[in-house]
Amino acid sequence: MLFTQESAVFTMPLTLKAHQIASQFREQQSNPQKAKQVYLNTLAVMAVRAYLGWFGIETDLAASDSWNAAIRTLANTADLMVSQRGKLECCPVLPGATDVNVPPEVWQDRIGYVAVQFDAALSEATLLGFIPDVTEPQVPLVNLRSLNELLDSLHPVGQVETAGQPVRLRQWLQGMVETGWQTIDHLLGEPQPAWSFRSGEHFSGLELPTTRGKLLNLESRAEDAPLALVVGLLPIDESSLDIWVRILPTGNQTYLPPELELLILDETGIAVMQAQSRNTEIIQLKFKGMLGEKFSIQIISGAQSITEAFVL
Amino acid sequence: MNEPDEISSDVIDHQLKQLAIAAQQQPPKSRARQRALEHLIRGIERSRRLARPRREQFQGFYEEIYTEAVQRLFTHICDKIDRYQPDRGEVLQWANFLLNRQFFIEASREVFATLPRGVKRLTLDDLDRNNPSEVNPQLVPLPSQQILQCLEEDPDGLFQRSHIDQHPEANFQFLAVKRLAGYSWQELATQLGIPIPTLSSFYQRCLTRFAPQLKAYLS
């Protein structure tokens, strides 16, 4: 998609209101260097607050150190309290700088750091990216993570993201399967009579799709047997595949937990398919993919979300 | 940053519409909706096709009003994306209609309410040149000076008594006064022979603890 090929920074104008508050805070300082720092910190906080507000993420200025006259006088802080999450530091970056400065007094008790670059006129702010933790006073801007990840990290769903490389599905067809992805017999503990996909598709005995699965441990279901995530592949031609994704209970459970959601996200993270369990034994989604395409499978249950990334 | 100038308006309109529909299809507040909205807002911003209504009016304040109006527009689009009707027009038509009819007017009210208070935008140059206390002489003593006074008086002896284990010289009063005077963490670490992270995390805990006392001192 056009807009997602570009780097995920966001430039926004700084409002007069933001400058007004910044001026007010600045005038409380006697040291010109400190006064400048306070002005820039305030603009950075206002920019990030506006940005998060657009996406429904609530922030609380009154609970932020940067809005506390005593603390912002004694510490170089540009924190923004994100409701129910914690303090997000909004670090100002000067035009042309290649590093973001993160003062030692904000190395702790932060849920993350956003780099906010200004133009010389202070007419606009560019949110450059985000980093979850910091132990050095300077972080090269090239080390920042994409701004997209900021919202991921703030989203109220307790994310349990799987780190690392996407699973390479094409290789499964050659029998190269990543650790953790097991055969169905192995996964479910007993030979399965016939791995039939219940979508009206029929396979002649030799064309059974490649299927592998893994167990999902959901915190909310710690007492119960884990669920199984199963991915099946059937090549259509040289460049495309049919892909099945299933969620099913294991052990002696018959039904999936209610309101379990299965989503297929495209490369940009937008959900393109979605299914939800009610009194359901199994959820299945089927779609077609082209060689080289990336997608993710997301499973949401209660407050927890598990995401697995794949490339074809 | 790449500008999407080679891409035709039709393509942009089509993509924006797809993003808006994608957002509408996701439950409110879901991460999937946020993602779609994030792409949508970024797409609108980069299209450079947001209208600039009423350009002949508000001379001298136009940019202020426009900036405020665009922020309000983005807030509205994210919050009320369900009100967009894809069959009735393009996203930019919807956005520009709202910008012109609603947010530009609201923003002009906000800006005209703020202006009489003498608010001026400062640039980086202004910040390097001007001494803040010269700008606002009526704020005397400055809050930063009141805080210094409070630290030095240390009415209950609390600030001096709070120190890093086995380093009475590394107490909150000392650190705060030095920091207020502009000493760097590196300088303080060298002078005290204590690593920066030890100093800064102690300092941060003290600030949280003493903030109410310090703030009470500000008139």
Side-chain angles (χ1 to χ4, degrees), chain B residues 107-178:
Chain B
S108 62
R109 291 196 191 115
E110 157 91 26
V111 168
F112 282 107
T114 311
L115 283 172
R117 284 180 245 150
V119 176
K120 183 177 169 292
R121 280 172 179 269
L122 299 182
T123 65
L124 278 179
D125 274 352
D126 295 334
L127 291 175
D128 287 331
R129 263 198 312 263
N130 294 347
N131 190 338
S133 50
E134 288 166 14
V135 178
N136 196 346
Q138 71 265 34
L139 261 182
V140 175
L142 290 171
S144 63
Q145 295 163 333
Q146 291 177 308
I147 287 187
L148 178 62
Q149 200 181 344
C150 173
L151 287 168
E152 283 174 340
E153 281 177 17
D154 193 4
D156 309 312
L158 266 180
F159 303 148
Q160 206 170 29
R161 272 209 310 276
S162 305
H163 60 81
I164 293 179
D165 260 356
Q166 295 165 17
H167 289 277
E169 74 286 8
N171 60 64
F172 175 67
Q173 183 192 47
F174 173 82
L175 291 172
V177 170
K178 289 286 184 189

Side-chain angles (χ1 to χ4, degrees), chain A residues 195-201 203 209 211 230-232 244-246 284:
Chain A
W195 181 256
S196 58
F197 284 91
R198 300 176 200 179
S199 56
E201 313 282 332
F203 303 104
T211 52
V230 177
V231 177
W244 286 260
V245 177
R246 294 180 133 185
Q284 173 174 312

Side-chain angles (χ1 to χ4, degrees), chain A residues 2 4 6 9 13-14 19-20 27-28 30 36 39 51 54-55 74 105 108 120 148 152 155 269, chain B residues 7 15 29 31 34-35 38-39 46 71 78 117 121 124 128 136 142 144 179 185 201 203-204:
Chain A
L2 162 68
T4 55
E6 301 174 27
V9 302
L14 290 164
H19 277 275
Q20 182 202 343
E27 286 165 7
Q28 298 171 348
S30 47
K36 175 182 176 183
Y39 198 90
Y51 186 79
W54 294 338
F55 305 110
L74 291 173
E105 59 260 51
Q108 292 189 349
N148 295 333
D152 282 336
H155 196 255
Chain B
I7 291 145
Q15 291 192 336
K29 291 187 183 283
R31 179 64 191 109
Q34 281 181 352
R35 275 184 212 268
E38 207 177 0
H39 290 298
R46 291 193 184 168
Q71 288 224 356
C78 290
R117 284 180 245 150
R121 280 172 179 269
L124 278 179
D128 287 331
N136 196 346
L142 290 171
S144 63
R179 286 292 292 151
W185 283 111
S201 71
Y203 188 66
Q204 193 189 27

